Amino acid sequence: EMADGRKTAYVKVIFLGDQSVGKTSLLNQFIQKRFQKKYKATLGSDFFVKEVRVGETTVVMQIWDTAGQERFRSLGSSYFRGADLCCLVYDVTVGKSFDDLDNWKEEFLLQAMPPDPERFPFFVIANKVDLPDDQRMVTSSRATEWIRRRPNFHHVEASAKSGDGVDQAFLQMATVALERN
Ligand code: GDP
Ligand code: MG
């Protein structure tokens, strides 16, 4: 802690969810402020780093994204180790991606083995809300009801394409992750 009260905290955030829900696009929108229509799942590194201010604290977010391995559920244990928060993403136009959230949660808890699984924070992003309503398969009310039964879960709607809700989602994630730090 510095003399003026400012602090720096380091948090590790894990991104999980079905292939194509928009995990990488959300990260691109947050970090580079842009959306690429055809995103290649090839990343130079295993994680992105971005600083966010939460009050007096600079939160250095280390955010882990997959390079397509989620298709085969072949994420190594280093992917999960030391996580402060897990972000689960689904695509509001694909019902299965919402149904799979519980499996991803279980996979996370199995691999990360946090000391307090009942209280470990999960952050759920409903992505692609820019798409027309008639394509939407998971309604807000269904998601809200699902979240209500899981006290350690947070839920936000976002669009990696338009950018709506993206900065707010990451700021909230930093805030929640910081509470565990
Ligand atoms: P990932 O496999 O979860 O990393 O998903 P990607 O980020 O690679 O995105 C998969 C596809 O969905 C790509 O074609 C993206 O352009 C598209 N996509 C991602 N986010 C959005 C969004 O918010 N809205 C729309 N309309 N398309 C999106
Ligand atoms: Mg990806």
Side-chain angles (χ1 to χ4, degrees), residues 1-9 53-58:
E1 185 168 344
M2 288 174 229
D4 57 5
R6 279 185 293 158
K7 294 177 211 153
T8 302
R53 274 293 286 277
V54 178
E56 295 282 274
T57 308
T58 300

Side-chain angles (χ1 to χ4, degrees), residues 87-103:
C87 180
L88 303 173
V89 183
Y90 69 95
D91 175 342
V92 294
T93 69
V94 180
K96 185 179 185 299
S97 70
F98 180 75
D99 297 335
D100 280 345
L101 292 180
D102 262 325
N103 296 333

